[in-house]
Amino acid sequence: MTSGSEVVHGYPHLTTVRSALAALHKRLSYDGVHSYAPSVFPADVAFSDQDDLHLGTQRVARALVQHLRLPDARMIVSFREMEHAASVELAAGPEYFIELNDRFRTHRDDIGAALAHEITHVLLHRLGLAFAGTRDNEILTDTVTTYLGAGWLLLDAFREDDASSQKLGYLTPEEFGYVLAKRAIAFGEDPAPWFTSAQAYTAYTKGLAQARRDGQQPPLTAAGWAGRRKYAKERRYAQENGSRTDHGSSSSSASYAFEGGGRDTLRVSFPCPTCQQRIRVPVSGRVRARCALCRTILECDT
């Protein structure tokens, strides 16, 4: 939890975020991921000043448990002074103990955001899905929370002005926006009306632009002129000298890579813009590819 200190912006964790999206799709499959439509409704996690603190917290926790498909899990929530926003004790279940920072006693609008992250920890624990290291595992949790329809709460908890700032989670605001935009594109949702924070909406629009750029990289036909020209140069080199990998820019993990050698055996691999699974197709001009993992149809000019 960042409160009052400078908020990091941009996309410093984008490679890990993309790995998390791929890992989630591989673990749940297409049908499993799409069972999380639609997102959790704002009314289900709303918290007013008139609500009893503990009863309201339990109500929100139950709504998130149901949304994240954990009907046999019971969350026991308490408050205490602590450095972080929240913590959860991961055990065999069915009861899980969540502690929230005392600050949420008076910042009740953000209780849903904190609970969403912790309850996703429980989901990932049950799925056996984890990344090595605390940092990467927390990024995985933020990414999964957002892509499965509860993480818009984490982004909406972001507020920043000249005098103060607040952010929950490990992703930057723009990275939250990126993952949320990926979900919006895949599920046909528009989360914009749910935001109460103007800064969160701005971060979402920036993340949306970044997400759309993923679908505008060679060899996809939506790629721009500059990208297509660079791709043609790399392709010609690979055809004449053997495979060569394009490592992309610092803002984009390795995009396309040529494999094999010669004009008849050359193939190109690239990440699916939806799930980040790598797709391999022959270098043979116009081709339509279908991602076996997320079922996205991709128009390519290889």
Side-chain angles (χ1 to χ4, degrees):
M1 178 171 65
T2 300
S3 181
S5 58
E6 185 177 355
V7 174
V8 176
H9 288 275
Y11 303 94
H13 314 115
L14 197 53
T15 298
T16 307
V17 167
R18 286 169 169 161
S19 296
L21 288 173
L24 175 65
H25 280 83
K26 289 176 182 177
R27 180 62 183 84
L28 289 186
S29 79
Y30 172 88
D31 291 332
V33 168
H34 281 261
S35 71
Y36 288 88
S39 292
V40 64
F41 292 115
D44 292 339
V45 290
F47 209 127
S48 72
D49 292 337
Q50 285 71 45
D51 287 336
D52 178 87
L53 175 64
H54 295 282
L55 292 178
T57 298
Q58 289 299 144
R59 174 181 56 78
V60 172
R62 284 194 299 271
L64 289 165
V65 163
Q66 291 172 0
H67 175 76
L68 290 171
R69 306 293 188 268
L70 293 167
D72 60 339
R74 297 191 297 272
M75 305 297 155
I76 300 173
V77 187
S78 61
F79 296 80
R80 71 173 177 88
E81 291 186 8
M82 56 196 302
E83 178 183 357
H84 299 292
S87 65
V88 62
E89 179 182 322
L90 294 176
E95 293 183 340
Y96 298 88
F97 295 88
I98 296 176
E99 293 181 319
L100 297 183
N101 193 302
D102 259 341
R103 185 173 183 272
F104 292 113
R105 291 179 181 271
T106 55
H107 291 74
R108 299 183 179 187
D109 288 346
D110 299 326
I111 285 177
L115 288 175
H117 179 94
E118 301 308 321
I119 294 172
T120 302
H121 269 302
V122 175
L123 173 64
L124 292 174
H125 175 68
R126 289 191 169 193
L127 291 174
L129 180 57
F131 280 179
T134 299
R135 169 189 169 275
D136 285 0
N137 203 52
E138 293 292 351
I139 292 171
L140 169 67
T141 304
D142 277 345
T143 302
V144 172
T145 306
T146 305
Y147 201 80
L148 295 186
W152 66 266
L153 290 161
L154 285 160
L155 178 54
D156 197 38
F158 167 55
R159 301 175 189 90
E160 187 175 42
D161 56 36
D162 293 338
S164 63
S165 62
Q166 172 187 284
K167 185 184 77 67
L168 299 181
Y170 286 70
L171 299 184
T172 68
E174 292 78 16
E175 288 168 341
F176 272 120
Y178 171 82
V179 180
L180 187 58
K182 286 289 191 184
R183 175 184 170 85
I185 293 169
F187 286 71
E189 283 187 336
D190 179 12
W194 305 335
F195 293 121
T196 62
S197 163
Q199 294 78 28
Y201 175 75
T202 299
Y204 170 67
T205 59
K206 292 180 179 179
L208 179 59
Q210 179 66 39
R212 285 173 173 164
R213 281 194 287 273
D214 285 358
Q216 299 169 348
Q217 302 299 315
L220 300 175
T221 56
W225 178 83
R228 294 297 310 164
R229 183 180 182 185
K230 184 173 184 291
Y231 176 87
K233 180 180 178 181
E234 296 281 348
R235 179 182 59 199
R236 184 166 56 252
Y237 181 95
Q239 288 171 332
E240 295 173 355
N241 301 280
S243 61
R244 173 182 176 180
T245 300
D246 172 31
H247 296 287
S249 65
S250 60
S251 63
S252 175
S253 61
S255 53
Y256 55 84
F258 292 106
E259 303 172 359
R263 295 180 183 273
D264 296 331
T265 61
L266 194 65
R267 299 171 69 86
V268 62
S269 69
F270 59 96
C272 170
T274 299
C275 69
Q276 303 301 305
Q277 169 88 342
R278 291 198 75 84
I279 298 171
R280 290 171 176 81
V281 295
V283 175
S284 58
R286 290 264 181 172
V287 63
R288 175 176 290 180
R290 181 177 185 268
C291 178
L293 192 58
C294 70
R295 306 182 185 176
T296 301
I297 304 296
L298 302 167
E299 299 290 343
C300 308
D301 186 355
T302 61

